Each structure stands twice: as C-alpha cells, then as structure tokens.
C-alpha cells in the first residue's frame, strides 16, 4: 500500500514539475520576445525636407537595422506617427519593411495649424523599448491660418538634438553643376563610397535651400519612458496585427476562450482568434492598403459581450522637442513660395492616390463541395426548408430553443463540430437569424463538407449564404458586433511626373525624391529636370555609415 502511494506521489510531483517548467518556459519566452536590446535593433528616419506647407506630401524612408543572428527579431512592419507639439495626434504611416527599410508618404491635412511637428518611427515590438524610437522634427506652415499650435503643458518625454555627420564619401563628378537654367535636363554621376556608407540606407532629395536642416532628435537618458516599458506589445511576424479585448458588459470581467471572427468587407476571407485568460485576442491580417471596413463579432452571448479594439499607434504623444514655433525671415519667404507652388501644382496636377483594389475571385475555401441554387427549385416558404425538404448534406435539429446544425462529411460520416456560418463571406454566429431571411433574397448556398481550420478555431464544415445583391439579404447583425474603419498599409500617392514637353508650369517644391538609389560599382547615374521656380536649391544625400552614424552630404546650385 505504501509503495502504491509513493508511486502516486512521485507521479504528482512529476506533473507539478512539468507544469511549473512549462509556465516558466512560456513566461521566459514572453519576456524574451518583449524585451529588446536597443543595441541589437535600431530605427532611423529620413525625409525629403523639414519645412512644409499644408496639403503637401512628406516623403519618408525609415531604415531598420539589427545585428546579425539577433534572436526574437521578427519585424516586418514599421509605423511613423505625425504629432503636434501640443500633444495632438495627426495620423500614422504604416509601411512594410523590405530590404531593411520602409517607405511612404504622409499627406499633410489642410486644416492643421502652423507649428512644430514631430515624426516618430517605431515598430509594434519596439514599443516595449521606446528609447529606440526614431524622431525627426519638422515645421508645417498653414498660410491661411494665423493660429499656431502651442507646446504641451502635460507631462512630456524629453527629446534632445542628435546631429548628423557630414559625409566625405559622396562626390559629384560634374563641374557645371553650380548655375543652371530653368527646365534644364541635368545628368550627373555621383560617386558613393560603399566601404564607408550603407548603400541600402541612402535617400536623396532636391529641395529649395533652407527647407532642410541636419538636426535630428533622440530620447535623452532621462526621457521619462520608464512608465511605458511595462506595457506588453508583440511581434508582427505574418501580418499587421489587429488586437483587442472581450469583456462581459454586466460585470466587466474578461470573456475567456471566446471565438473572435474578423472579416475585411469585400474580401472573401475570415480570420479567427480565441480570447485568452484576460479576454485578450490578436490576429494577423493580410497586407491590404488604405482604410478598410473590418467586421468583428464573437461567439460569446450577444447581450453580454463588449468588443474593445486596441489602438495600433503609440499612445504617448507628449514630447518636448524644442522651443516655441517660429520662422526666420528666410523661412517665411520660403514658406510663401512653397504655398504658391503648391496651389499651382494642385491646379494642374492634382494628387492621385494609388488605391488599386485587387478583385477577389475565389473565397478562402477555394470551392464548395455542394451548392444549392435557389432558382433551381420551386419557391419554398422558409430558408430552412431548403435543408429539411430537399435531399442534402446539411441537417437541422431543434434542441432547447436552439437550432443545432451538422454537415455530412465527404466520407459519409457526420462532422461532429459546429460549422462556420457565413453570409456573403462574412462570419455570423447565430444561424437562426440567418434562416429568417426571405429565401427570395438569397442566390445560393455554398457548403464545404470537411473539417476546416481557421486561425485558432476549427469547424465542422462551412455554410455560406450568398445574397442576390451582396447586401447580406437584410440580415440583422448582432448588437455586440462592431464594424470599424481600420488603416492597413498606407496608400501611396503617384509621384509628381514632370513632363518637360508639356505646356504646363513646373511648380515642384520637392524636385526629386529617391529612396531606392540604384548604386552600381560605387556610382549613381542621376538625371532630373531643374524646376521653373528660380532660386537656390540643395541636393541632399542622407543615410548611415557602417558605425550606424547618421550622415549627410549637400550640394547647392542656383536656378536662374
């Protein structure tokens, strides 16, 4: 008897050991993935210039570097917030990292007040260690408003100047570059010392003189970030992450192990997550572009569930990064010139957004095993009768005022799990509400007769009701479900294509922006047309040397 008890006790101790080991290992992994060594991963932000007027595009390149063989480094997306000196949040650029950099543009809203603004670049994971954010100060002028934004009076994070180094590794092989006529074609050969400079980090702009300055910003050693470092953010390995929390509206407690069904309206796919012990959920989404309508619902009881979606931009917006806004006399004259050129540019060359939306031909399940086409049968009074009165693979039975749905598998056996119910490719929880739809509003019913795994959940097949006009057939969605406008990857604006032959004025403020400089044999072949606006211009080449110092080189010329 004692021997038997000893065996039981030994097994219990072994089980406790494995549970503790798993707990410690899991938490160690979480801490490992959450804490990022600032010396291993770095962000750097570069723009075409530093002085803008409202309505213009800010051209950006964000360089992401990490040490080789860095553990837990899964960084595929970069974010860049535009913030006001008063602590106001304006908007966020979201870009995919390709070959160690993310690129994009921010369109400056026309309603902004004049003032100092901050560009702040980060990744979702680096929000665990904000000391490694990248910062850049810019000035924005609104010539139609006399008001300017003030400095924030709330608690703020202190930023200090972080100057760039003058780079000697860039040379121009052209002696006729100093004085040029307007609308002139210029061809140059630029020598780039790739032994000194990281070529993939380089960007180039040609802009009016005094619209660029070589001062960047960094967080000081006493930046005030300590309160932010306890917040857990996560890696974006497979796609941009939509995250949130489900709580019980009655007692405000988290709803555990609840399915969260996510659809991007217009795309024939579904994403499924399961809430954890705190009610949290997260789901990787595809690389779509622009604002999209995203529908979110849960398998939790309709009357109790409250879905809260996390903001995916950084919540800290109060920064001290300089004195109150002011413009020198040269900057005032330049801002007026920029505003005049911008008005002319929009008149002859309005900004066009690339919003190409790929047509989705096939749903995520590719094809249905069975299709019920409503017009192939006589009109039936109820939608449920197309399952109960016709031979098919879907079976309905009523149990305690609930309709239980099962599907016959392809091998003839019944699939034991609940099927995924959809209408127009949007997931729904309650089939009873779907069955109340007038059958004349439905075109067909597609049925998948096999187990299907989607995200964290598995289903006993799929039943998808397709309406006649893609309007969900007047289906009444649950009150707990929400539809949000979610910003995916930022839209790209068509570059200002200058046509020297066209009989239109050339009013470019940024004459050239090149974030993908094609360097071959340490040489860059450059061609551009000089602008029509006379004055002094600067060619700026920015990037990083192999010691991760920010470097720049400027060449000036005059257009007469």
């Amino acid at each position: 008897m004692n021997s038997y008890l000893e065996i039981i006790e030994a097994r219990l101790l072994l089980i406790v050991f494995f549970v503790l080991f798993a707990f410690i290992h899991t938490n160690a992994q979480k801490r490992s993935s959450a804490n990022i060594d600032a010396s291993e991963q770095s962000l750097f932000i570069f723009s075409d210039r530093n002085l803008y007027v409202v309505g213009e595009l800010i051209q950006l390149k964000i360089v992401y570097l990490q040490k080789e063989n860095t553990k837990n480094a899964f960084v595929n997306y970069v974010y860049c917030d535009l913030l006001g000196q008063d602590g106001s949040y304006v908007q966020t650029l979201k870009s995919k990292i390709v070959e160690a950099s993310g690129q994009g543009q921010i369109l400056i809203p026309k309603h902004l007040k004049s003032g100092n603004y901050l560009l702040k670049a980060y990744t979702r994971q680096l929000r665990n260690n904000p000391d490694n954010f990248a910062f850049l100060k810019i000035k924005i002028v609104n010539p139609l408003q006399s008001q300017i934004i003030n400095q924030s009076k709330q608690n703020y994070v202190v930023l200090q100047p972080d100057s760039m180094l003058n780079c000697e590794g860039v040379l121009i092989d052209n002696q006729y570059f100093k004085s040029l006529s307007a609308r002139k074609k210029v061809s140059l050969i630029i020598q780039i010392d790739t032994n000194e400079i990281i070529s993939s980090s380089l960007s180039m702009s040609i802009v009016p003189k005094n619209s660029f300055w070589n001062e960047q910003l960094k967080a000081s050693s006493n930046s005030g970030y300590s309160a932010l470092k306890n917040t857990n953010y996560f890696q974006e390995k497979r796609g941009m992450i939509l995250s949130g929390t489900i709580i019980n509206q009655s007692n405000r407690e988290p709803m555990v192990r609840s399915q969260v069904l996510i659809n991007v309206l217009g795309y024939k796919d579904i994403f499924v997550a399961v809430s954890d012990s705190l009610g949290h959920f997260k789901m990787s989404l595809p690389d779509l572009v622009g604002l999209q309508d995203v529908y979110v619902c849960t398998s939790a009881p309709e009357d109790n569930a409250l879905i809260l979606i996390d903001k995916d931009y950084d919540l800290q917006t109060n920064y001290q990064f300089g004195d109150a806004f002011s413009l020198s006399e040269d900057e005032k004259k330049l801002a007026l010139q920029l505003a005049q050129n911008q008005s002319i540019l929009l008149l002859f060359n309005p900004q066009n957004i690339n919003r190409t939306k790929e047509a989705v031909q096939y749903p995520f399940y590719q094809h249905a095993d069975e299709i019920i086409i409503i017009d192939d049968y006589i009109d039936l009074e109820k939608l449920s009768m197309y399952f109960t009165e016709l031979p098919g693979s879907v079976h309905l039975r009523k149990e305690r005022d609930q309709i239980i749905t099962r599907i016959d598998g392809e091998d003839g056996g019944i699939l034991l799990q609940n099927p995924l119910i959809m209408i127009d490719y949007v997931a729904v929880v309650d089939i009873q509400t779907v069955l109340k739809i007038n059958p004349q509003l439905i075109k067909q019913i597609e049925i998948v007769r096999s187990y299907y795994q989607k995200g964290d959940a598995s289903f006993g097949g799929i039943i998808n009701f397709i309406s006649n006009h893609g309007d969900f057939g007047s289906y009444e969605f649950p009150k707990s479900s929400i539809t949000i406008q979610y910003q995916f990857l930022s839209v790209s604006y068509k570059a200002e294509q200058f046509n020297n032959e066209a009989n239109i004025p050339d009013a470019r403020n940024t004459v050239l922006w090149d974030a993908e400089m094609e360097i071959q044999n340490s040489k860059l072949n450059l061609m551009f047309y000089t602008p029509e606006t006379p004055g002094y211009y600067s060619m700026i080449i920015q990037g990083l040397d192999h010691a991760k110092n920010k470097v720049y080189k400027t060449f000036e010329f005059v257009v007469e």
Side-chain angles (χ1 to χ4, degrees):
M1 184 69 176
N2 289 337
S3 176
Y4 179 70
L5 292 175
E6 288 174 358
I7 292 173
I8 293 177
E9 183 178 354
R11 289 180 176 176
L12 288 174
L13 288 173
L14 189 61
I15 291 172
V16 171
F17 170 78
F18 279 118
V19 171
L20 287 174
F21 175 79
F23 175 79
I24 294 170
H25 179 69
T26 301
N27 282 275
Q29 283 186 321
K30 288 181 179 180
R31 288 193 298 271
S32 175
S33 64
N35 297 323
I36 298 218
D37 186 351
S39 65
E40 292 185 343
Q41 303 189 42
S42 305
L43 283 172
F44 306 87
I45 182 171
F46 302 99
S47 65
D48 55 338
R49 48 193 159 100
N50 298 82
L51 180 63
Y52 300 89
V53 295
V54 293
E56 284 195 290
L57 290 173
I58 304 173
Q59 305 282 358
L60 292 169
K61 179 173 183 175
I62 302 162
V63 179
Y64 170 79
L65 296 181
Q66 66 181 41
K67 285 186 177 179
E68 293 184 6
N69 301 320
T70 301
K71 294 182 179 180
N72 300 310
F74 298 95
V75 178
N76 293 321
Y77 303 89
V78 67
Y79 299 73
C80 185
D81 296 341
L82 176 61
L83 310 171
Q85 195 172 20
D86 58 353
S88 59
Y89 166 82
V90 181
Q91 59 179 285
T92 296
L93 165 73
K94 299 179 182 180
S95 178
K96 191 168 185 177
I97 295 176
V98 179
E99 296 183 355
S101 70
Q103 303 172 26
Q105 306 128 322
I106 291 179
L107 178 62
I108 303 173
K110 294 183 180 180
H111 68 269
L112 287 190
K113 299 177 182 178
S114 299
N116 294 323
Y117 288 82
L118 184 70
L119 292 165
K120 177 183 66 175
Y122 55 93
T123 66
R124 285 288 282 266
Q125 191 179 14
L126 282 180
R127 283 165 71 177
N128 291 323
N129 193 345
D131 288 334
N132 217 26
F133 286 4
F135 299 96
L136 180 65
K137 175 185 172 182
I138 63 173
K139 293 181 179 181
I140 297 176
V141 177
N142 188 336
L144 301 180
Q145 282 194 29
S146 59
Q147 292 182 319
I148 62 174
I149 60 172
N150 300 313
Q151 291 178 301
S152 174
K153 297 181 180 180
Q154 302 178 13
N155 295 330
Y156 46 72
V157 174
V158 178
L159 303 179
Q160 62 186 20
D162 184 21
S163 296
M164 302 174 70
L165 303 178
N166 188 32
C167 179
E168 301 299 331
V170 179
L171 297 173
I172 289 184
D173 185 17
N174 194 311
Q175 58 180 326
Y176 305 105
F177 191 46
K178 292 295 183 182
S179 181
L180 301 168
S181 58
R183 301 176 77 113
K184 176 181 177 63
K185 182 179 180 179
V186 178
S187 297
L188 296 172
I189 297 177
I190 302 177
Q191 304 282 345
I192 307 288
D193 185 356
T194 54
N195 292 323
E196 178 182 348
I197 303 169
I198 301 175
S199 58
S200 62
S201 71
L202 290 174
S203 61
M204 173 192 292
S205 59
I206 298 178
V207 295
K209 185 180 178 180
N210 297 323
S211 66
F212 169 85
W213 50 83
N214 63 347
E215 179 185 312
Q216 296 209 354
L217 297 171
K218 64 181 180 180
S220 65
S221 57
N222 298 317
S223 60
Y225 275 139
S226 57
L228 302 176
K229 290 187 179 179
N230 294 326
T231 307
N232 182 34
Y233 295 99
F234 29 77
Q235 302 167 344
E236 290 184 306
K237 302 178 184 179
R238 294 171 296 176
M240 302 184 73
I241 289 179
L242 178 71
S243 63
T245 305
I246 310 175
I247 64 173
N248 188 309
Q249 294 194 77
S250 301
N251 55 23
R252 314 302 290 183
E253 292 292 327
M255 305 192 80
V256 180
R257 301 298 300 172
S258 293
Q259 284 184 1
V260 181
L261 309 174
I262 302 169
N263 289 92
V264 182
L265 300 185
Y267 291 82
K268 300 176 181 180
D269 204 349
I270 179 177
F271 310 93
V272 185
V274 177
S275 61
D276 62 16
S277 60
L278 298 176
H280 296 161
F281 66 89
K282 61 179 184 287
M283 174 53 59
S284 296
L285 299 178
D287 289 340
L288 304 180
V289 175
L291 279 174
Q292 305 284 349
D293 291 323
V294 177
Y295 171 78
V296 185
C297 68
T298 174
S299 62
E302 176 185 337
D303 295 336
N304 294 328
L306 177 63
I307 303 172
L308 305 173
I309 301 298
D310 297 333
K311 294 183 182 298
D312 57 0
Y313 58 82
D314 187 58
L315 299 178
Q316 176 65 42
T317 59
N318 296 319
Y319 294 86
Q320 180 185 358
F321 54 94
D323 299 328
F325 174 72
S326 64
L327 293 173
S328 66
E329 289 302 316
D330 288 340
E331 288 175 333
K332 290 179 182 178
K333 293 178 182 178
L334 178 56
L336 179 59
Q337 174 189 311
L338 296 177
Q340 291 172 341
N341 283 351
Q342 179 65 10
S343 298
I344 296 172
L345 186 68
L346 291 179
L347 183 62
F348 288 92
N349 186 22
Q351 286 162 341
N352 295 314
I353 304 177
N354 290 328
R355 284 183 176 165
T356 303
K357 191 170 184 178
E358 295 183 3
V360 181
Q361 296 182 348
Y362 300 103
F364 65 91
Y365 51 81
Q366 296 300 313
H367 67 275
D369 300 313
E370 180 182 335
I371 300 177
I372 302 174
I373 300 176
I374 301 300
D375 286 346
D376 287 352
Y377 302 92
I378 62 171
D379 292 341
L380 298 177
E381 182 180 354
K382 297 179 180 179
L383 200 54
S384 61
M385 297 175 69
Y386 288 86
F387 300 127
T388 59
E389 303 299 322
L390 301 176
S393 61
V394 177
H395 306 283
L396 307 177
R397 77 172 190 271
K398 202 163 187 179
E399 187 175 299
R400 296 181 181 178
D401 297 328
Q402 298 291 323
I403 293 180
I404 306 300
T405 309
R406 291 292 182 265
I407 297 176
D408 288 337
E410 292 181 289
D411 59 359
I414 293 180
L415 305 181
L416 300 179
Q417 290 178 290
N418 290 327
L420 172 63
I421 309 300
M422 308 179 72
I423 180 164
D424 287 335
Y425 308 98
V426 173
V428 297
V429 176
D430 183 13
I431 192 172
Q432 293 186 106
T433 308
V434 178
L435 295 177
K436 294 178 181 178
I437 297 174
N438 187 333
Q440 294 182 0
L441 301 178
I442 299 298
K443 177 183 178 181
Q444 64 189 43
I445 306 170
E446 298 184 351
I447 302 164
V448 176
R449 299 176 57 188
S450 59
Y451 287 105
Y452 209 95
Q453 184 75 28
K454 204 59 171 139
D456 296 332
S458 59
F459 301 93
I462 300 171
I463 304 174
N464 185 17
F465 297 84
I466 308 296
S467 67
N468 289 323
H469 305 293
D471 57 1
F472 308 107
S474 301
Y475 172 76
E476 184 177 345
F477 287 93
K479 295 179 180 179
S480 62
S481 64
I482 60 173
T483 301
I484 62 171
Q485 277 205 322
Y486 182 76
Q487 175 67 57
F488 286 82
L489 295 173
S490 296
V491 298
S492 61
Y493 294 81
K494 294 180 181 178
E496 297 166 5
Q497 299 293 335
F498 173 66
N499 184 354
N500 196 43
E501 305 299 325
N503 189 25
I504 60 174
D506 175 19
R508 293 169 294 163
N509 286 329
T510 294
V511 179
L512 174 72
W513 168 251
D514 186 358
E516 298 177 338
M517 298 171 60
E518 296 183 3
I519 301 170
Q520 297 181 351
N521 299 321
S522 299
K523 293 182 180 180
L524 172 69
N525 292 307
L526 177 66
M527 190 279 291
F528 69 95
Y529 285 92
T530 57
E532 192 170 323
T533 305
Y536 288 90
Y537 288 84
S538 297
M539 173 190 290
I540 304 109
I541 299 175
Q542 307 174 74
L544 303 168
D545 64 19
H546 287 283
K548 292 187 179 181
N549 295 311
K550 286 166 277 191
V551 297
Y552 77 103
K553 187 73 174 181
T554 60
F555 301 93
E556 294 185 358
F557 64 94
V558 62
V559 175
E560 297 177 339

